């Protein structure tokens, strides 16, 4: 049995991802802090295929400024996820009311659905967008549902590029006669000095924002980097399996979008850190559930619900893992111990049978 890369790296964080070769393992928990994860069995190298995310490469240079519309002034910054299997865009600036505005959208290739998915987080009515997008030369089109506090809306997007440094972004909404334009923006690439947006929380005597009640179970994890020294990471990582590496997962709270973003990396002495995993933890407005999406450097996708047990210091992640042509199920427990360490246990599921894959402690 192979241990998925994401699931391993997420024990450091709070979500799952990639796909490292895995094998059955039973590890003494307290010894796991300084011991190695069981060595993975190398697998045959996959056949190289064109990256379905390649069309997004044109977006990553500089930032995209949006002309002031209705008092709203924002810019977009695009950044690749692990191994360019995903990309996220952060929109920052001021809304029509003059207040700080942040939203995020993630675009990623789903290996099971064979489509580029989008997942978006907006501060307006706690909007959660979920859909797909397709590129066709100098245009792109997508359809998605947006779940807001007022209900679900069926939306579409159209991008039309005008050269390398400009495109028109049109938002449409479903009506009885199909999709009708709702709003449109011209986005222009800028490489000049970045205009610093206003602070994300009040600078007066008002209290700074706090995570919503839905994210309260994650509060202990926020603003910290959880770290472990581990070796035998497996052939998936491209690292020397006989050497110990520092695995770090940092939890960022994006206040305006009420979103937790987790970045997991492996430090490699004098070499650049290896970006292993991006994970997103959020409250889904439509289903009223705490959700997890994890995207790995091997292109694997892990998604599912995050549940709080009777013990408020314990989280359980129930995840479906899409690893190439294979789909697997996993359960992860994250416990904050009395000494402040993060105790992570991971099981694979085959029917009603659980197989322990990881039992380890991480410190901040």
């Amino acid at each position: 049995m192979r241990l998925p890369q994401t699931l391993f790296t997420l024990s450091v964080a709070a979500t799952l991802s990639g796909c490292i070769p895995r094998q059955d393992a039973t590890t003494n928990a307290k010894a796991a802090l300084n011991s190695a994860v069981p060595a993975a069995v190398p697998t045959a190298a996959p056949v190289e295929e064109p990256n379905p995310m390649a069309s997004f490469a044109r977006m990553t240079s500089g930032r995209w400024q949006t002309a002031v519309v209705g008092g709203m002034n924002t810019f977009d910054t695009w950044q690749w996820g692990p191994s360019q299997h995903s990309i996220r865009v952060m929109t920052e600036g001021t809304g029509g009311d003059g207040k700080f505005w942040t939203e995020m959208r993630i675009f990623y290739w789903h290996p099971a659905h064979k489509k580029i998915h989008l997942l978006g987080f907006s501060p307006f009515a706690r909007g959660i967008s979920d859909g797909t997008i397709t590129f066709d030369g100098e245009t792109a089109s997508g359809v998605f549902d947006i779940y807001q506090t007022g209900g679900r809306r069926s939306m579409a997007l159209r991008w039309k590029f005008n050269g390398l440094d400009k495109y028109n972004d049109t938002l449409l909404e479903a009506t009885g006669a199909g999709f009708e334009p709702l709003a449109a923006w011209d986005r222009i690439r800028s490489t000049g000095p970045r205009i610093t947006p206003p602070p994300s929380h009040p600078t007066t005597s008002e209290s700074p924002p706090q995570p919503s009640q839905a994210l309260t179970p994650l509060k202990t994890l926020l603003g910290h980097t959880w770290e472990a020294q581990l070796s035998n990471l497996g052939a998936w990582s491209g690292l020397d399996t006989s050497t110990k590496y520092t695995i770090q997962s940092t939890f960022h709270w994006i206040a305006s979008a009420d979103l937790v973003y987790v970045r997991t990396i492996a430090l490699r002495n004098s070499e650049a850190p290896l970006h292993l995993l991006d994970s997103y933890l959020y409250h889904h407005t439509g289903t009223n559930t705490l959700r997890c999406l994890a995207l790995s450097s091997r292109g694997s996708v892990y998604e599912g619900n995050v549940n709080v047990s009777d013990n408020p210091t314990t989280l359980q992640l129930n995840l479906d893992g899409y690893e190439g042509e294979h789909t697997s199920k996993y359960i992860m427990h994250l416990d904050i111990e009395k000494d402040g360490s993060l105790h992570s246990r991971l099981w694979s599921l085959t029917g009603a049978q659980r197989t322990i894959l990881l039992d380890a402690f991480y410190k901040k």
Side-chain angles (χ1 to χ4, degrees):
M1 182 174 293
R2 300 170 299 149
L3 173 60
Q5 144 197 351
T6 303
L7 302 176
F8 159 65
T9 52
L10 258 185
S11 24
V12 186
T15 6
L16 299 150
S17 144
C19 131
I20 68 175
R22 60 184 189 280
Q23 67 177 31
D24 293 342
T26 53
T27 308
N28 180 275
K30 288 295 183 182
L33 181 60
N34 298 310
S35 66
V37 174
V41 178
T43 59
V47 177
E48 290 292 332
E49 297 181 359
N51 184 357
M53 298 293 295
S55 295
F56 284 95
R58 67 192 304 164
M59 312 300 290
T60 57
S61 176
R63 64 191 176 282
W64 297 83
Q65 191 77 31
T66 303
V68 177
V69 178
M72 191 169 190
N73 184 18
T74 63
F75 59 87
D76 295 343
T77 305
W78 294 75
Q79 187 172 9
W80 283 115
S83 300
Q84 299 188 6
H85 294 292
S86 62
I87 194 169
R88 69 180 182 275
V89 54
M90 178 78 82
T91 300
E92 298 175 280
T94 53
D97 57 1
K99 294 183 179 180
F100 183 78
W101 178 279
T102 303
E103 65 178 282
M104 180 184 285
R105 286 174 292 167
I106 301 106
F107 300 86
Y108 60 97
W109 177 253
H110 199 295
H113 303 163
K114 306 298 182 186
K115 294 180 180 180
I116 298 174
H117 281 232
L118 72 87
L119 179 64
F121 311 92
S122 170
F124 179 72
R126 295 196 177 277
I128 300 293
S129 302
D130 186 3
T132 60
I133 186 173
T134 303
F135 269 89
D136 184 10
E138 294 299 295
T139 64
S141 60
V143 292
F144 60 95
D145 290 329
I146 183 167
Y147 300 87
Q148 298 174 325
T149 51
R152 179 178 68 86
R153 302 165 68 182
S154 296
M155 314 295 290
L157 63 83
R158 303 286 186 269
W159 297 348
K160 184 176 181 180
F161 290 88
N162 182 10
L164 296 177
D165 298 322
K166 183 178 180 180
Y167 73 99
N168 178 265
D169 179 0
T170 301
L171 178 67
L172 307 95
E173 184 166 13
T175 66
F179 286 100
E180 298 292 338
L182 186 64
W185 305 268
D186 285 326
R187 305 194 188 276
I188 302 172
R189 192 193 312 270
S190 172
T191 56
R194 172 176 170 173
I195 301 174
T196 303
S200 59
H201 57 78
T203 56
T204 64
S205 58
E206 297 179 44
S207 300
Q210 296 294 321
S212 66
Q213 183 176 357
L215 296 184
T216 298
L218 304 171
K219 196 171 181 179
T220 304
L221 302 171
L222 303 183
H224 301 293
T225 296
W226 299 87
E227 179 176 299
Q229 301 289 328
L230 298 171
S231 59
N232 288 339
L233 295 182
W236 60 272
S237 66
L239 302 176
D240 181 356
T241 57
S242 64
T243 303
K244 280 189 176 181
Y245 295 91
T246 300
I247 307 298
Q248 293 182 343
S249 288
T250 304
F251 285 71
H252 304 273
W253 178 51
I254 301 172
S256 181
D258 200 30
L259 164 72
V260 176
Y261 163 58
V262 188
R263 178 182 173 89
T264 300
I265 61 173
L267 303 183
R268 303 184 293 174
N269 297 324
S270 60
E271 298 182 64
L274 179 65
H275 189 180
L276 298 176
L277 176 70
D278 277 343
S279 306
Y280 304 90
L281 300 164
Y282 62 97
H283 175 250
H284 194 293
T285 307
T287 61
N288 193 30
T289 55
L290 189 57
R291 296 282 294 172
C292 163
L293 172 70
L295 306 169
S296 82
S297 60
R298 291 297 297 269
S300 297
V301 173
Y302 295 85
E303 53 191 356
N305 288 341
V306 182
N307 300 313
V308 182
S309 71
D310 294 336
N311 181 350
T313 63
T314 297
L315 297 176
Q316 176 172 308
L317 286 71
N318 301 288
L319 298 166
D320 292 321
Y322 302 94
E323 304 156 341
E325 301 298 323
H326 305 285
T327 302
S328 303
K329 292 186 177 294
Y330 303 95
I331 290 179
M332 172 174 278
H333 282 184
L334 298 173
D335 300 274
I336 300 298
E337 300 293 338
K338 292 182 179 180
D339 63 359
S341 63
L342 176 62
H343 184 193
S344 174
R345 287 167 290 169
L346 173 68
W347 296 267
S348 65
L349 292 181
T350 304
Q353 181 180 356
R354 289 190 184 188
T355 302
I356 186 72
L357 300 177
L358 185 68
D359 190 340
F361 289 80
Y362 303 88
K363 292 189 174 181
K364 58 186 177 182

